[in-house]
Amino acid sequence: MRLRVEFTTEPFDLDEAPAHALAAREVIEAAELDEVDVGPFGNTAEGGADVVLTAVDALLRKSLEAGATRISLQVNVVGEGEQ
């Protein structure tokens, strides 16, 4: 099974990336995901279910430890042929 996760961490800071956003980015970029798109207002990653779920667990833990007060995420099953 393939999964796609979309997530944001808060609070936002438009002047520089906060520590919780950097922690989330590090987790996602270090995971063995097939696709990663990191942006200022939202992030997307895709890969096998085990890899995505492990990355989500680490993302939640590390972002909260780094000061996130809210993490919004959505996980979708990606069907064959869907991108």
Side-chain angles (χ1 to χ4, degrees):
M1 177 186 312
R2 290 184 56 77
L3 300 176
R4 178 184 302 131
V5 60
E6 298 174 46
F7 65 92
T8 58
T9 62
E10 297 180 39
F12 293 114
D13 183 342
L14 296 177
D15 294 327
E16 65 181 76
H20 58 80
L22 295 175
R25 182 180 304 161
E26 288 174 10
V27 167
I28 290 301
E29 290 178 343
E32 295 182 19
L33 295 159
D34 299 333
E35 297 180 33
V36 174
D37 182 21
V38 177
F41 300 108
N43 309 283
T44 305
E46 188 175 312
D50 288 339
V51 176
V52 170
L53 295 174
T54 298
V56 166
D57 177 65
L59 177 142
L60 292 171
R61 293 175 188 277
K62 292 189 185 269
S63 295
L64 291 168
E65 289 171 3
T69 57
R70 179 178 179 150
I71 302 168
S72 301
L73 66 88
Q74 179 175 319
V75 178
N76 293 304
V77 174
V78 179
E80 291 184 31
E82 181 182 339
Q83 294 295 325

